[in-house]
Amino acid sequence: MEGLKKEVVMNDHKLTLEQLSTKYSVDLTKGLSPKEAQEILTREGPNTLTPPPTTPEWVKFCKQLFGGFSILLWIGAILCFMAYGIQMYFSEHATRDNLYLGIVLAVVVVTTGCFSYYQEAKSSRIMESFKSMVPQKALVIRDGEKMQINAQNVVVGDLVEVKGGDRIPADIRLISAEGCKVDNSSLTGESEPQTRSPDFTHENPLETQNICFFSTNCVQGTARGIVIATGDSTMMGRIATLTSGLAAGKTPIAREIEHFIHLITSVAIFLGVVFFGISIILGYGWLEAVIFLIGIIVANVPEGLLATVTVCLTLTAKRMARKNCLVKNLEAVETLGSTSTICSDKTGTLTQNRMTVAHLWFDKTIYKADTSEEQIGKTFAKSSDTWFILAGIAGLCNRAEFKAAQETLPIAKRATAGDASESALLKFIEQYYSSVKEMREKNPKVAEIPFNSTNKYQMSIHLREDSSQDHVLMMKGAPERILEFCSSYMLNGHEYPIDDEMKEAFQNAYLELGGLGERVLGFCFLNLPKTFSKGFKFNTDKINFPMNNLCFVGLISMIDPPRAAVPDAVGKCRNAGIKVIMVTGDHPITAKAIARGVGIISEGAKIEEDITAQLKVPNSQINNREVKAIVVHGSELKDLSSEQLDNILQSHREIVFARTSPQQKLIIVEGCQRLGAIVAVTGDGVNDSPALKKADIGIAMGIAGSDVSKEAADMILLDDNFASIVTGVEEGRLIFDNLKKSIAYTLTSNIPEITPFLLFIILSIPLPLGTITILCIDLGTDMVPAISLAYESAESDIMKRAPRNPKTDNLVNHRLIGMAYGQIGVIQALAGFFTYFVILAENGFKPLDLLGIRLNWENRYLNDLEDSYGQQWTFEQRKVVEFTCQTAFFVSIVVVQWSDLIICKTRRNSVFQQGMKNKILIFGLLEETLLAAFLSYTPGMDVALRMYPLKIFWWLCATPYSLLIFIYDEIRKFTIRRHPGGWLESETYY
Amino acid sequence: MTKKDKKSFNQSLAEWKLFIYNPTKGEFLGRTAKSWGLILLFYLVFYGFLATLFTFTMWVMLQTLNDEVPKYRDQISSPGLMVFPKPVSALEYSFSMSDPQSYKGYIEDLKKFLKPYALEAQKNLIDCTGGILFEQKGPVYKACQFPVTLLEECSGVSDPSFGYSSGHPCVLVKMNRIIGLKPQGNPRIDCSVSKVGYLQPLVAVQLGLGASSAPKEATVECKIVDSPNLKNHDDRDKFLGRVAFKITMHA
């Protein structure tokens, strides 16, 4: 694994053609023979990427069934069956309660497991639809014959030919090329097409011109080369292997649930053991004590919570999907909320991934063009004659054209054929000047020299529109090259000879635009003399026309502009305490310009360029306020130790990594994680996928993203827009807060559910609350209200606070347990017991006479048990009273849960500030009440669930306690608001 | 790997120790003495308040109760029947006529049960007319006499062994007491398989099983009959207005 993280060593690009021919024993003109190719294919295997080991469906299902929270319920179920077994073995009249409880627990786990499996299967089906299943073809030359074969049959040593529009079938060392450009963005993140030629230009195989990489695209031109690697050994293959070899860590919410399980289990075992001891001391038998122990532990299991949490997460996932964040893994819903660092890719995520004209320079003035996605016309000096000429050159000396049949689309959205910069010019002229098509029809092209990397210019000769006999020569290219051809320049439509002042102005403009990270092109023209009238044969190989003393017109600069919503989104992230780091394969200047444009580097920030100088200064002496932004070059990053990297990450608030390799992205992510950050990584290319996998949450792009990146990611932005991440963060934070509330609500009723059993043991009173009624609360009345808390709106602006600290700010902490169990839960239990004692007393059993009555009460042969008034009760008669009490206890819990639900709506604010706008919550209140009434009053419930109708007055017994809960908590929250950071907050604010 | 595990184990042990007592911060179980004091004080006050409130509401509730009549009697609208000797694990009596030890427990139980019915104990009670409902309106209530002699052979007066030694074992059937219950009609307890000395509210069943050497069995079922408001059949409650028991006698 570590080996893969290192940079790839490759030297094929350094070889001469002869060496290459020898190394792969192939004829550079005829290629391999079919027989040789077949042999190699058998030996090396097909040219495909080994698909990442897919988890079998049943394993996924089992993970849902036995992962995380479910394990708690399974243990509960097993304990129940054990208890039932023990009871069965030793007593014939064993109650079936434990058996039922065990079955219900198992059913709950299986149902929720199926539910979340179904949810995830659904989102992975959406994933499947992304995959394109078109088989790739490749043109190979074997024995001198060109043949189309399936790309997977290409072997090492094959001579292949690629042309514009093809996907590169393998890693290729070029031996010849004509105007070849490749789009390496999926591998390196560079947004501009790269020129490819047979020349060895750079030590780094990724940057040298004579290598084309598997699965990148050839944009234009043609090239021939020898395959030097296929399948998994290609650059792309290595990255894919690196990705699938990385183990994705646990999601933060999974860690939180684990922490919660630890807490709950500790409480359960503590209570169980204490009461085991007590029951032994009270003289119960060992067996009974063990049954009690199991009973208490199981009673602590919040049966409904697993379902509640799953439903809450699902609801949020759905809400996020509506806002273009598709969550692959349910648990990842919350992860964005706790994210403290976002490592964002540049191309496509922050930018539009579309070259657009940004600035023009003519008449010695820089004009700004509109780069927004909508491209609604914005005005600049259109009246100048220079502009007409400049527009003419940009439109005519241009090989790009619109693809057919998209006249209805806005110009910016139309697809074009041709180089990215030329397309940008084409769209720009179409938008701001006139129809390029008409222009070209009026000024037909008679000769052309296409752009190449040695000339660095493009020239074309057109018939002039105004005089059909004359020609005009137009040229565009690298500004310094263009200026060399010129002797005059145009100012407001008039020609002037070039002087030093103009040269200086030109230099300044060129530097300024270049400094913005923009690609600058110069434009010039020459009206050819009459001697070159219509019909003259222009020869572009042996130039037979003048190509000097041209007239310089102006500069046009282009950039892949930031998406409109991104600066705002970055600002929101900043407010939310999230550090946004740009990690890109692109050049530092472009990266820096975009970073400034979107606010990753804030305006006026001093950028530290020379990190080596800084590293010599001891850490303590670095003035963080002065050097808060930094641009790190990939080549520098390579030499850094992990301590130095940590240092950079820690001491700079604004960081841009440029020219980074996939391996380095991974190292950066690991560095952030080492510093305790929860890292989100966005990316679309294959090069991003290792980092996506390693990140706490990997975010892939739905439109531009490669399959590999989508596979590795946890979340997919359906609109490729960075701004959608902010929505995700907001939703994630909200669900974390609301889960806390939901859990607090659900846990509270655990106390009135456990205490009856405890007092049954200690005081030997008739059992105040039975297993069935407990289940009715946990899986019945509590469910909808608990879920409704997921719809609760935020108490304050959650996007203005720092991300939670995963170490200290837990989902469930001792304060939550203290509040739920120690305070509200106890009041609830008292409410239940009060109701219980009222009913028994009103039926003849006064509270004091109940103490110690258990053995007689439970004796089914004692049918004349006397109450406080001397009345004699048969076993069944007192059981009916007991079950009536249990029903009333259940109803009391519902009554006190009303106010618990209302107080759980907020953690700090008063309910009067928060309001009762949550309609689902109001529905929840009604639903639990109606359900309780239904369970109590429906005829036949006495047989089915042993629940009995209650007198109306018994519903009211718990209301004073319900009121007390509300008043107590309002006072508590009022004190917390009054004394921020005070004792009450530190002990009870969860 | 093992080395690493061991280290982490030692580490966690050390962390635990530090959690239990941290000398530098003076923390015990993660809290300083002051912190413990405050939190305990808080809960002391909190629970104290709750206890007071609970006691208060209970007191209020008890004030609403009547000392003589329970507030609701709808849960026992109809009396159950109970048999003596008291059944222990099942409604089955088994004894051997020739072995006094086998029925000693039954006899003692019956004696104990009949003690309050002795003439001595009943002398303060009123002699009521049989067959007429005796209604009173407090505040002082009197009960009617129930002369134990009405039980004849089963009274234990003439036969201290309640017929067990002679193969004529007595089982007493009692109707449960319910305050304010006014039976309608002319209720009586009717037992199938019987040789009944019927007297309300107590009934004695004496079985003539005879003195034969073979073990003998008899199943007896008693019911309250002839009263429209006293139920004698309930699917779930086998003792509501009825009782069934079995006697097995060995020689």
Side-chain angles (χ1 to χ4, degrees):
Chain A
M1 201 71 249
E2 283 305 313
L4 278 170
K5 268 191 217 167
K6 298 225 176 73
E7 296 299 320
V8 184
V9 184
M10 189 197 245
N11 59 8
D12 285 325
H13 55 300
K14 299 175 191 163
L15 303 178
T16 62
L17 293 184
E18 291 74 42
Q19 286 170 319
L20 190 70
S21 171
T22 336
K23 182 174 176 189
Y24 294 103
S25 49
V26 57
D27 186 312
L28 292 188
T29 49
K30 289 169 117 186
L32 297 170
S33 71
K35 201 176 144 220
E36 283 171 321
Q38 189 56 46
E39 273 169 24
I40 300 173
L41 185 65
T42 337
R43 195 175 64 228
E44 306 268 328
N47 174 30
T48 49
L49 296 184
T50 317
T54 49
T55 332
E57 289 301 307
W58 67 270
V59 173
K60 283 191 201 161
F61 186 60
C62 285
K63 266 191 191 151
Q64 295 295 351
L65 271 191
F66 301 104
F69 208 87
S70 325
I71 208 78
L72 191 68
L73 296 196
W74 278 121
I75 293 172
I78 290 167
L79 284 177
C80 283
F81 291 132
M82 269 169 54
Y84 178 65
I86 295 174
Q87 283 172 321
M88 276 283 283
Y89 188 77
F90 288 101
S91 132
E92 47 189 314
H93 277 296
T95 58
R96 291 255 177 99
D97 279 7
N98 273 320
L99 179 67
Y100 295 145
L101 183 57
I103 292 173
V104 168
L105 284 177
V107 168
V108 167
V109 196
V110 173
T111 318
T112 3
C114 290
F115 179 74
S116 36
Y117 172 77
Y118 169 73
Q119 283 301 328
E120 292 198 357
K122 222 163 58 176
S123 53
S124 60
R125 266 206 302 282
I126 301 177
M127 289 289 304
E128 294 293 324
S129 66
F130 285 128
K131 288 190 180 163
S132 50
M133 282 299 176
V134 189
Q136 295 293 326
K137 293 276 183 188
L139 187 69
V140 298
I141 298 161
R142 286 181 182 166
D143 262 351
E145 269 180 58
K146 286 189 182 182
M147 47 172 98
Q148 281 277 357
I149 59 168
N150 275 334
Q152 58 172 355
N153 293 329
V154 170
V155 296
V156 173
D158 252 336
L159 180 60
V160 300
E161 199 174 286
V162 289
K163 57 176 194 311
D166 283 355
R167 216 165 91 120
I168 311 287
D171 283 2
I172 298 169
R173 159 73 156 87
L174 298 187
I175 52 176
S176 68
E178 281 147 42
C180 177
K181 279 197 176 183
V182 291
D183 175 8
N184 270 359
S185 61
S186 75
L187 187 64
T188 62
E190 289 160 308
S191 46
E192 294 171 23
Q194 307 291 306
T195 308
R196 283 296 174 257
S197 71
D199 310 321
F200 163 56
T201 55
H202 203 285
E203 282 286 325
N204 186 342
L206 282 168
E207 296 194 26
T208 183
Q209 289 196 346
N210 57 359
I211 305 264
C212 288
F213 293 101
F214 177 50
S215 96
T216 59
N217 287 304
C218 180
V219 184
Q220 64 182 58
T222 55
R224 267 190 190 201
I226 298 293
V227 173
I228 53 172
T230 58
D232 287 336
S233 50
T234 58
M235 197 61 87
M236 207 62 100
R238 293 174 67 103
I239 296 168
T241 320
L242 176 61
T243 310
S244 60
L246 283 172
K250 269 190 196 138
T251 58
I253 195 80
R255 282 190 289 243
E256 289 304 326
I257 285 177
E258 196 169 286
H259 178 241
F260 169 53
I261 290 176
H262 285 164
L263 264 175
I264 278 287
T265 327
S266 318
V267 172
I269 290 176
F270 172 76
L271 272 180
V273 169
V274 165
F275 279 87
F276 179 78
I278 291 178
S279 43
I280 293 288
I281 294 167
L282 286 178
Y284 287 100
W286 280 99
L287 215 61
E288 247 172 326
V290 169
I291 299 288
F292 289 162
L293 174 75
I294 295 177
I296 291 168
I297 292 177
V298 173
N300 268 290
V301 176
E303 289 91 350
L305 205 53
L306 173 63
T308 309
V309 170
T310 313
V311 172
C312 287
L313 289 179
T314 311
L315 288 173
T316 308
K318 287 211 161 142
R319 209 151 48 190
M320 286 166 94
R322 273 203 297 279
K323 293 175 180 168
N324 289 322
C325 296
L326 178 74
V327 182
K328 272 170 67 185
N329 172 4
L330 214 48
E331 285 177 349
V333 165
E334 188 276 327
T335 316
L336 260 187
S338 35
T339 296
S340 54
T341 304
I342 299 177
C343 291
S344 179
D345 187 33
K346 178 182 75 75
T347 313
T349 317
L350 298 172
T351 66
Q352 302 170 16
N353 198 14
R354 183 174 64 200
M355 272 293 174
T356 311
V357 172
H359 291 96
L360 302 97
W361 182 77
F362 57 87
D363 296 346
K364 293 192 180 173
T365 317
I366 291 179
Y367 296 100
K368 201 174 178 329
D370 180 21
T371 51
S372 70
E373 274 131 296
E374 291 76 30
Q375 293 273 345
I376 22 175
K378 213 162 81 179
T379 47
F380 52 92
K382 278 185 187 168
S383 54
S384 166
D385 289 332
T386 323
W387 156 243
F388 298 125
I389 296 170
L390 183 62
I393 305 172
L396 293 173
C397 185
N398 187 334
R399 297 176 65 173
E401 51 196 35
F402 287 113
K403 287 184 180 164
Q406 32 180 7
E407 281 73 23
T408 49
L409 287 173
I411 294 167
K413 298 262 157 64
R414 292 185 203 167
T416 55
D419 176 279
S421 335
E422 297 205 313
S423 303
L425 288 171
L426 174 71
K427 286 180 183 172
F428 182 73
I429 299 304
E430 183 89 11
Q431 178 92 49
Y432 292 101
Y433 187 64
S434 69
S435 164
V436 175
K437 206 176 161 197
E438 283 172 28
M439 206 153 86
R440 289 180 186 168
E441 276 164 9
K442 286 178 192 160
N443 302 280
K445 182 155 58 182
V446 290
E448 179 180 43
I449 302 175
F451 185 88
N452 68 49
S453 52
T454 36
N455 285 347
K456 293 194 175 161
Y457 66 79
Q458 178 181 0
M459 195 273 308
S460 61
I461 297 169
H462 301 262
L463 269 178
R464 278 173 63 172
E465 191 183 346
D466 43 1
S467 62
S468 56
Q469 292 304 306
D470 292 344
H471 287 105
V472 61
L473 183 151
M474 293 170 164
M475 199 187 263
K476 77 159 194 272
E480 67 277 9
R481 280 287 286 159
I482 295 297
L483 196 64
E484 283 169 20
F485 287 105
C486 301
S487 60
S488 61
Y489 72 100
M490 182 146 287
L491 186 65
N492 299 325
H494 303 288
E495 273 186 55
Y496 297 93
I498 290 178
D499 51 14
D500 285 347
E501 192 201 344
M502 184 272 162
K503 274 189 182 160
E504 204 190 316
F506 165 85
Q507 276 304 331
N508 288 341
Y510 184 26
L511 278 178
E512 186 176 343
L513 297 178
L516 292 172
E518 295 173 4
R519 183 199 289 180
V520 190
L521 290 177
F523 296 82
C524 60
F525 79 103
L526 177 67
N527 284 323
L528 291 175
K530 300 262 183 246
T531 38
F532 303 97
S533 57
K534 193 175 182 184
F536 182 84
K537 292 269 177 258
F538 292 97
N539 189 336
T540 50
D541 290 329
K542 291 179 188 156
I543 292 171
N544 55 357
F545 51 90
M547 253 181 64
N548 47 21
N549 295 327
L550 276 69
C551 176
F552 183 84
V553 183
L555 300 173
I556 297 182
S557 67
M558 282 146 293
I559 197 164
D560 177 13
R563 287 167 176 273
V566 170
D568 189 37
V570 171
K572 277 186 184 161
C573 286
R574 195 105 349 120
N575 275 336
I578 301 169
K579 192 168 171 178
V580 183
I581 298 177
M582 183 196 277
V583 184
T584 176
D586 219 334
H587 294 276
I589 296 176
T590 324
K592 197 162 66 186
I594 295 295
R596 276 203 190 277
V598 299
I600 287 180
I601 295 178
S602 49
E603 253 171 77
K606 194 180 163 194
I607 303 174
E608 178 73 30
E609 304 268 7
D610 185 11
I611 60 156
T612 36
Q614 184 221 322
L615 287 171
K616 282 176 194 147
V617 186
N619 195 12
S620 54
Q621 288 179 21
I622 296 172
N623 188 340
N624 286 350
R625 224 170 299 162
E626 212 169 282
V627 192
K628 64 174 191 177
I630 190 168
V631 178
V632 184
H633 195 279
S635 58
E636 296 167 320
L637 186 58
K638 202 156 53 186
D639 304 324
L640 293 181
S641 68
S642 46
E643 287 78 27
Q644 286 170 318
L645 177 64
D646 289 2
N647 199 356
I648 290 177
L649 291 172
Q650 235 165 359
S651 56
H652 296 85
R653 284 207 277 136
E654 302 174 346
I655 308 173
V656 169
F657 289 98
R659 296 309 274 168
T660 45
S661 68
Q663 286 82 354
Q664 289 174 336
K665 286 195 180 189
L666 190 57
I667 291 168
I668 294 166
V669 172
E670 283 175 338
C672 294
Q673 286 175 330
R674 207 166 36 236
L675 295 175
I678 290 182
V679 185
V681 171
T682 72
D684 52 0
V686 178
N687 57 332
D688 301 317
S689 44
L692 287 175
K693 186 84 173 277
K694 181 70 200 174
D696 293 286
I697 178 163
I699 305 166
M701 300 299 136
I703 304 167
S706 56
D707 292 345
V708 184
S709 69
K710 283 177 196 160
E711 191 65 47
D714 304 295
M715 184 182 276
I716 292 161
L717 293 185
L718 296 174
D719 59 355
D720 285 18
N721 193 343
F722 182 82
S724 307
I725 296 176
V726 179
T727 324
V729 171
E730 206 169 343
E731 291 291 347
R733 288 187 173 188
L734 186 59
I735 195 62
F736 189 80
D737 283 3
N738 284 348
L739 271 183
K740 268 188 177 186
K741 295 174 182 177
S742 198
I743 290 175
Y745 171 79
T746 315
L747 283 189
T748 307
S749 61
N750 244 10
I751 286 297
E753 284 164 13
I754 300 169
T755 39
F757 191 55
L758 301 184
L759 291 194
F760 165 75
I761 297 172
I762 301 179
L763 301 180
S764 281
I765 53 176
L767 187 63
L769 192 68
T771 312
I772 291 173
T773 29
I774 290 178
L775 289 177
C776 283
I777 296 164
D778 283 350
L779 300 176
T781 57
D782 265 2
M783 284 296 259
V784 179
I787 291 169
S788 76
L789 284 170
Y791 288 95
E792 196 58 37
S793 52
E795 279 175 68
S796 55
D797 194 345
I798 41 177
M799 292 306 280
K800 285 211 172 111
R801 63 175 196 223
R804 74 186 177 92
N805 181 340
K807 288 211 184 75
T808 53
D809 191 1
N810 291 115
L811 182 66
V812 176
N813 48 28
H814 72 275
R815 293 185 294 277
L816 191 149
I817 299 270
M819 269 297 294
Y821 278 12
Q823 295 164 36
I824 308 299
V826 172
I827 304 181
Q828 294 198 334
L830 289 184
F833 278 106
F834 178 61
T835 315
Y836 164 85
F837 282 125
V838 165
I839 293 177
L840 280 173
E842 290 185 343
N843 276 294
F845 292 92
K846 288 186 182 170
L848 288 178
D849 296 314
L850 287 172
L851 306 183
I853 208 174
R854 189 179 78 99
L855 277 182
N856 283 337
W857 186 279
E858 299 292 325
N859 183 351
R860 57 180 64 240
Y861 299 106
L862 186 67
N863 281 291
D864 59 346
L865 185 72
E866 279 193 21
D867 64 17
S868 313
Y869 293 90
Q871 303 188 99
Q872 293 168 324
W873 296 70
T874 66
F875 176 77
E876 195 54 39
Q877 281 170 334
R878 44 182 205 264
K879 275 290 162 188
V880 170
V881 174
E882 182 185 325
F883 285 122
T884 309
C885 285
Q886 296 189 358
T887 314
F889 204 112
F890 157 74
V891 164
S892 299
I893 294 180
V894 170
V895 171
V896 285
Q897 282 288 69
W898 290 342
S899 57
D900 189 29
L901 184 62
I902 290 169
I903 65 164
C904 282
K905 272 168 70 76
T906 56
R907 293 187 296 148
R908 183 184 291 272
N909 288 353
S910 160
V911 178
F912 301 106
Q913 292 168 307
Q914 178 83 352
M916 288 292 284
K917 277 167 259 162
N918 186 344
K919 290 204 179 75
I920 313 278
L921 186 134
I922 292 166
F923 169 76
L925 282 176
L926 285 176
E927 185 263 2
E928 68 172 328
T929 314
L930 289 178
L931 182 61
F934 174 83
L935 288 173
S936 167
Y937 294 111
T938 309
M941 276 298 165
D942 56 336
V943 184
L945 295 175
R946 300 235 65 176
M947 294 179 98
Y948 289 85
L950 301 179
K951 296 183 196 306
I952 296 299
F953 172 72
W954 292 337
W955 282 71
L956 302 179
C957 295
T959 43
Y961 291 90
S962 198
L963 207 62
L964 174 70
I965 290 175
F966 181 74
I967 294 170
Y968 166 72
D969 207 61
E970 278 295 320
I971 293 174
R972 183 184 70 90
K973 284 189 273 207
F974 178 76
T975 321
I976 288 179
R977 289 197 301 276
R978 265 296 172 85
H979 305 283
W983 182 83
L984 203 61
E985 175 162 359
S986 68
E987 290 294 351
T988 64
Y989 180 71
Y990 51 88
Chain B
M1 201 61 204
T2 31
K3 207 174 173 183
K4 203 177 159 193
D5 283 349
K6 210 173 183 179
K7 195 183 158 201
S8 70
F9 172 75
N10 279 340
Q11 251 174 358
S12 64
L13 197 72
E15 273 170 22
W16 266 102
K17 273 185 190 159
L18 210 61
F19 173 70
I20 290 169
Y21 183 67
N22 185 337
T24 47
K25 290 186 186 166
E27 286 176 351
F28 173 69
L29 290 176
R31 285 175 183 276
T32 60
K34 190 184 166 212
S35 167
W36 271 115
L38 277 172
I39 195 86
L40 289 179
L41 182 71
F42 171 79
Y43 275 106
L44 195 72
V45 173
F46 184 75
Y47 289 149
F49 169 73
L50 287 185
T52 319
L53 187 85
F54 186 71
T55 320
F56 173 72
T57 48
M58 287 292 272
W59 179 80
V60 170
M61 179 268 291
L62 289 175
Q63 293 313 300
T64 65
L65 294 183
N66 185 321
D67 277 343
E68 280 132 18
V69 188
K71 191 163 181 180
Y72 300 118
R73 278 164 294 175
D74 50 352
Q75 299 287 343
I76 37 170
S77 53
S78 195
L81 292 186
M82 180 68 180
V83 289
F84 289 89
K86 253 188 183 165
V88 187
S89 63
L91 281 165
E92 279 172 24
Y93 303 99
S94 170
F95 68 98
S96 173
M97 215 165 64
S98 53
D99 178 11
Q101 279 303 319
S102 69
Y103 52 83
K104 189 166 165 257
Y106 296 143
I107 290 173
E108 275 171 12
D109 211 26
L110 284 171
K111 276 184 181 159
K112 203 171 117 198
F113 174 69
L114 284 176
K115 212 170 172 189
Y117 288 88
L119 286 173
E120 195 73 359
Q122 293 194 36
K123 65 184 176 197
N124 291 333
L125 305 182
I126 311 169
D127 189 3
C128 310
T129 342
I132 297 164
L133 208 59
F134 180 61
E135 249 181 291
Q136 306 173 69
K137 282 202 175 71
V140 184
Y141 294 95
K142 294 264 180 180
C144 293
Q145 280 182 350
F146 180 83
V148 76
T149 44
L150 285 175
L151 296 175
E152 296 168 6
E153 292 297 300
C154 291
S155 66
V157 180
S158 52
D159 181 2
S161 78
F162 293 90
Y164 282 84
S165 56
S166 56
H168 301 284
C170 281
V171 174
L172 301 178
V173 180
K174 181 201 72 171
M175 192 171 91
N176 277 351
R177 177 164 59 229
I178 294 173
I179 295 174
L181 176 75
K182 284 183 218 162
Q184 296 163 350
N186 187 21
R188 58 189 178 86
I189 294 179
D190 177 57
C191 295
S192 48
V193 186
S194 59
K195 189 178 179 188
V196 183
Y198 163 72
L199 279 166
Q200 200 179 10
L202 216 58
V203 141
V205 180
Q206 188 169 35
L207 292 158
L209 296 175
S212 118
S213 59
K216 284 189 178 156
E217 269 189 11
T219 306
V220 185
E221 194 183 328
C222 298
K223 273 185 185 174
I224 301 177
V225 292
D226 290 350
S227 174
N229 70 334
L230 300 189
K231 288 185 215 144
N232 62 11
H233 183 78
D234 185 279
D235 282 338
R236 221 196 283 257
D237 196 346
K238 299 278 185 288
F239 295 89
L240 189 71
R242 60 176 166 156
V243 65
F245 57 91
K246 198 166 104 180
I247 293 183
T248 313
M249 188 181 73
H250 306 274

